[in-house]
Amino acid sequence: MISPSPIEPIEISELLEYAQELKGVFDINDYTTKRALLRKWVSRDKLVLCETVGASRMFYWTENTLNSLLNTKPIIQAFTDSPLVGQGSEQINPKATNQGLRDSLDMDTLKGLALGAITVDQVIGAVVNPEPFGMKATTQSRAKTPYIFGRPKECTTVRLQQITNELSEKSGEKYEPKDAKLRRADYTLETIICTIDALVDEEYGDHNEIGQVLKPLFDDPSMIENVIEAMDTRESGPEPDFRSKADEVLRKKAAQIFEDDHDEVDETKPNTPNHDFKKMDVPESHTLAAVDAVTNALSLQSLKTVVEAHNKLVDELTTAKAAQVTTLSMPAVIPDMTGEDGEPSGSHKMVGAKSVFKIRGKGFNIRVPLFDWDTPHKNVPVIDPDYVFDLSALRRILRALVMNKTFYLHGHTGTGKTTLVEQIAARLQWPLVRLNLHGEISQMDLLGREVLRNDNGVTISQYLEGPVPQAMSGPNILLLDEIDYIRANVSYALQRGLEGHGLMLTEDAGRIVSPHPLFRWAATGNTQMKGDEYGMYREARIQSSAFINRWANWVHVDYMGKPQRRRLLKAKVPGIAEDFLEKLVQYTAEHLRAFTSAEIIQPLSPRDYIEAGEAQVSFLAMGLDEAEATKEALITSIIDAAVPQDAQVLRGLVQNVFNVQV
């Protein structure tokens, strides 16, 4: 019998809900997902406690949980006193926190806490005094310590199975939820995860965005929070048959929510003020005279003054509301673009972002310019039909483009900052002028310079515009790549243009270059322009606060997540085998972790791992077996491009993930 007293009885409906949800966790096949959910489970404020009385078992609520350890003193003391904690070969060294304790427990100990078979007090006892209170490790347990860390001797496989069986019987009984929302008991966690994976695959958003849409549909939104956290930490991708395991009704319900978020604006409807105030008519003169006699006696304003002030406020409110409605659309009157010097002519129309970018996610109620050129434009990038957009970054960049705001993308090398802007421009058919900057580039290289030339025997001076004023004169997005590398005098020369006041060419008698109405400023960099915060971009300079402040919108571009990386590889390498795909996705994650933690200096861009996938498929077709093809593909695309120190680390990663020697 477990010693701590239960704090309160548990209602049968509560026990049924608890049992049904816990069964959903136990039924999940993926080990890392199940472990993540159980870790979340045992961090609750209340858990079930199971007491055995004679031949029967009684269930209660207990607050004897990890959260009941309000400070870390008990854990610090327990770890200090424990023979299992330390730096020895048969010891472990977890953080002395609630989370450190939780994450050091094995799967069966987590199950024991969730089932109520054991309490946190017993776990602490097994940590401090493992010989009398803990369970000895076996070869099957794979424990590093001689006793399974934190697992009480009462947490036996037999006891866990007995309580599991009893709760499983209860989970089959029916209960009524407290409201009319979807009942969590009707959906296993595996079903919800597979449904979210199906919606991600259909490009309604990432699992976080889809999870936020599902939360209000259920009687217990915390279940969806647990699912999101588990999907954040899982090491593998969706189950191979995730589509067949998805719940079609739930999938359609969530899809409908996304598709109801319309982005089309009826251009025939005027912008009407969103208020109920109306203008007032000034009364006739005899009425005014009568009212003014009263207001004058009371030292109040005249009725005519009050009416005029009211009407003025209504006008101001109407103007403000109309402006608010039009902030997500550019001015309608922008002249057509007549090409000069062989450039194509064109026009543009405002269209819904969702129709252009084939987006189903929420938050894209915005109209964007779609250009049409009479001949192909050399500065319009080529569309990559397989490109996977980060919806948050796309949303912010589209807003900046529409509202004529400057925007700066920063992040590690190989995250796809430039490609993101290129693919947005490609889909909008918006010309993009890309300048690759460096630390030695000068003001004259960007703005222009005065040159001398011979004109019929007479030497004359002529000002030749640089690429920046040339780009500003047309409907171009000017993308300044690696802008955090330029010198202060160069950035200072750009500030006036970034403010939208036009660019002053001091060497051309102070001539002002006014920007085209459809010209936009954009830039990329590895840092936040405050120096090399990563220790990997030593040439990056600290830019002035004035220059930094001219960039209105900031977008941090991170490496793709595993679902996006997996989808990209499937699209780019159609013949890739599923097993190699999963290993390549996992290897990429390990490689990027090593890079971002400065263990290696070799980055890994999408083109690198796409090349690895294509190479492996090619070498298989050339007659190599799977191991040989994998080895050759990784050497040619990754290993041989690395410096010797990095190559040694990368060989270890390849061995761990692919089980091949390179």
Side-chain angles (χ1 to χ4, degrees):
M1 181 173 174
I2 298 174
S3 55
S5 301
I7 63 159
E8 61 180 273
I10 186 169
E11 298 290 337
I12 184 63
S13 61
E14 294 176 318
L15 181 60
L16 292 177
E17 290 185 55
Y18 189 96
Q20 288 164 340
E21 187 179 355
L22 188 58
K23 183 178 183 296
V25 176
F26 288 173
D27 287 344
I28 291 175
N29 294 323
D30 183 71
Y31 177 86
T32 56
T33 303
K34 183 188 297 186
R35 181 181 61 188
L37 286 170
L38 280 174
R39 286 174 174 174
K40 179 78 173 176
W41 190 287
V42 300
S43 299
R44 297 180 173 196
D45 292 328
K46 289 198 302 183
L47 293 173
V48 158
L49 172 65
C50 177
E51 282 196 341
T52 303
V53 181
S56 62
R57 292 185 181 85
M58 303 293 293
F59 292 92
Y60 304 91
W61 285 126
T62 179
E63 291 183 349
N64 184 214
T65 69
L66 288 171
N67 284 358
S68 66
L69 302 174
L70 299 179
N71 57 62
T72 59
K73 288 184 179 179
I75 299 177
I76 294 173
Q77 189 61 50
F79 284 9
T80 301
D81 297 340
S82 175
L84 306 179
V85 176
Q87 302 292 339
S89 59
E90 293 188 342
Q91 293 178 313
I92 61 174
N93 194 27
K95 290 184 178 180
T97 62
N98 295 22
Q99 184 175 336
L101 173 61
R102 181 198 69 183
D103 293 351
S104 302
L105 303 178
D106 73 333
M107 183 76 87
D108 281 343
T109 308
L110 293 171
K111 284 183 179 179
L113 286 169
L115 290 166
I118 56 174
T119 66
V120 172
D121 287 343
Q122 290 174 297
V123 170
I124 294 289
V127 170
V128 176
N129 296 303
E131 187 171 356
F133 301 123
M135 181 173 291
K136 221 171 178 40
T138 63
T139 53
Q140 290 80 13
S141 67
R142 300 170 61 184
K144 181 181 178 182
T145 54
Y147 288 83
I148 301 174
F149 189 79
R151 184 170 175 182
K153 62 183 179 182
E154 293 86 357
C155 190
T156 63
T157 304
V158 173
R159 177 168 170 77
L160 294 181
Q161 191 59 53
Q162 289 172 343
I163 300 176
T164 300
N165 291 342
E166 188 159 338
L167 285 179
S168 294
E169 292 175 7
K170 294 183 180 298
S171 68
E173 301 178 29
K174 187 177 181 180
Y175 79 97
E176 294 299 327
K178 298 176 182 178
D179 54 38
K181 295 185 177 182
L182 298 177
R183 303 187 317 166
R184 67 181 183 185
D186 292 340
Y187 299 86
T188 67
L189 294 179
E190 183 177 37
T191 298
I192 293 174
I193 290 172
C194 289
T195 303
I196 292 176
D197 280 330
L199 289 163
V200 170
D201 192 57
E202 293 168 15
E203 299 187 1
Y204 282 100
D206 61 29
H207 66 274
N208 278 287
E209 292 174 310
I210 294 167
Q212 296 307 317
V213 167
L214 292 180
K215 275 173 65 175
L217 301 180
F218 281 88
D219 59 347
D220 181 14
S222 64
M223 175 183 63
I224 302 298
E225 293 176 1
N226 293 341
V227 167
I228 293 172
E229 185 169 327
M231 296 181 77
D232 280 338
T233 58
R234 68 179 178 182
E235 297 172 2
S236 57
E239 296 185 27
D241 54 349
F242 69 91
R243 282 201 163 277
S244 63
K245 292 183 178 180
D247 184 272
E248 189 61 18
V249 174
L250 182 60
R251 190 199 66 77
K252 287 182 177 179
K253 189 182 288 285
Q256 190 63 50
I257 293 173
F258 282 107
E259 289 166 5
D260 284 344
D261 183 47
H262 300 300
D263 74 324
E264 298 300 332
V265 179
D266 189 346
E267 295 177 328
T268 63
K269 293 183 179 180
N271 293 328
T272 55
N274 185 23
H275 60 72
D276 297 326
F277 302 115
K278 297 179 180 179
K279 285 189 174 183
M280 298 170 60
D281 294 327
V282 178
E284 296 179 359
S285 57
H286 67 278
T287 305
L288 279 176
V291 174
D292 286 348
V294 176
T295 56
N296 289 338
L298 297 174
S299 300
L300 299 175
Q301 289 181 324
S302 69
L303 178 58
K304 183 178 180 181
T305 302
V306 172
V307 171
E308 289 175 346
H310 169 83
N311 290 344
K312 182 180 179 182
L313 287 172
V314 172
D315 285 339
E316 291 175 352
L317 183 58
T318 302
T319 301
K321 288 293 182 181
Q324 183 180 12
V325 172
T326 59
T327 51
L328 296 183
S329 185
M330 296 191 306
V333 184
I334 293 179
D336 288 348
M337 295 143 285
T338 303
E340 298 179 359
D341 299 326
E343 294 290 332
S345 298
S347 60
H348 81 284
K349 61 180 179 179
M350 302 303 294
V351 298
K354 283 190 174 182
S355 61
V356 176
F357 291 90
K358 306 296 186 289
I359 300 169
R360 293 172 168 176
K362 299 187 73 172
F364 286 91
N365 298 342
I366 183 171
R367 301 182 71 75
V368 294
L370 181 62
F371 292 79
D372 182 31
W373 304 100
D374 57 3
T375 59
H377 199 299
K378 66 180 182 180
N379 288 334
V380 172
V382 177
I383 292 176
D384 178 356
D386 301 319
Y387 183 79
V388 181
F389 283 101
D390 177 288
L391 296 185
S392 175
L394 174 62
R395 185 182 295 117
R396 285 180 277 167
I397 293 173
L398 290 181
R399 172 188 171 275
L401 289 171
V402 166
M403 298 183 71
N404 195 6
K405 303 285 188 179
T406 57
F407 61 95
Y408 175 62
L409 286 71
H410 64 96
H412 280 299
T413 182
T415 53
K417 301 178 290 295
T418 302
T419 306
L420 172 58
V421 182
E422 286 177 341
Q423 286 307 304
I424 291 174
R427 281 159 175 77
L428 298 175
Q429 291 292 289
W430 199 328
L432 178 74
V433 177
R434 176 184 172 188
L435 300 181
N436 294 95
L437 308 184
H438 52 78
E440 299 307 316
I441 203 162
S442 69
Q443 181 176 328
M444 290 189 297
D445 292 330
L446 296 180
L447 304 188
R449 67 187 70 207
E450 191 175 33
V451 298
L452 298 177
R453 68 180 182 86
N454 187 292
D455 184 17
N456 296 323
V458 179
T459 301
I460 63 172
S461 66
Q462 180 181 11
Y463 189 84
L464 298 181
E465 283 190 349
V468 172
Q470 288 180 35
M472 290 181 66
S473 300
N476 302 300
I477 300 173
L478 176 60
L479 180 61
L480 303 173
D481 256 341
E482 314 298 349
I483 200 169
D484 50 348
Y485 282 56
I486 62 174
R487 297 196 301 266
N489 66 317
V490 179
S491 64
Y492 181 78
L494 298 175
Q495 283 184 200
R496 193 178 193 278
L498 289 168
E499 293 169 358
H501 301 315
L503 195 67
M504 178 179 286
L505 303 178
T506 55
E507 291 192 8
D508 194 19
R511 180 166 62 91
I512 303 296
V513 178
S514 298
H516 187 280
L518 290 170
F519 170 77
R520 299 292 184 266
W521 290 95
T524 70
N526 298 126
T527 71
Q528 292 178 298
M529 296 199 249
K530 298 179 177 70
D532 180 13
E533 63 259 39
Y534 298 112
M536 290 183 280
Y537 308 104
R538 288 176 291 180
E539 300 301 318
R541 300 175 187 267
I542 298 176
Q543 303 296 328
S544 71
S545 297
F547 181 68
I548 293 172
N549 188 249
R550 264 59 178 187
W551 296 98
N553 293 270
W554 290 60
V555 181
H556 177 248
V557 182
D558 206 348
Y559 291 107
M560 284 185 186
K562 289 181 181 179
Q564 292 79 16
R565 199 175 296 140
R566 187 178 295 106
R567 193 158 70 241
L568 179 65
L569 280 167
K570 278 187 174 181
K572 291 295 186 183
V573 192
I576 193 170
E578 192 68 30
D579 181 62
F580 181 73
L581 168 67
E582 290 300 328
K583 289 179 179 178
L584 185 55
V585 169
Q586 181 60 31
Y587 170 81
T588 303
E590 294 295 328
H591 185 126
L592 293 175
R593 179 200 57 75
F595 174 71
T596 54
S597 61
E599 295 177 32
I600 58 175
I601 60 173
Q602 178 79 7
L604 189 71
S605 69
R607 67 178 66 91
D608 295 324
Y609 52 78
I610 289 172
E611 178 60 31
E614 291 177 342
Q616 200 255 8
V617 172
S618 299
F619 288 131
L620 285 172
M622 292 167 66
L624 296 182
D625 63 29
E626 183 179 350
E628 293 169 332
T630 299
K631 175 181 177 179
E632 290 295 324
L634 296 173
I635 289 175
T636 193
S637 60
I638 299 171
I639 302 299
D640 276 4
V643 298
Q645 297 92 325
D646 283 359
Q648 185 175 356
V649 176
L650 298 179
R651 288 189 184 97
L653 295 180
V654 168
Q655 174 66 34
N656 290 339
V657 176
F658 294 96
N659 196 28
V660 296
Q661 295 279 353
V662 292

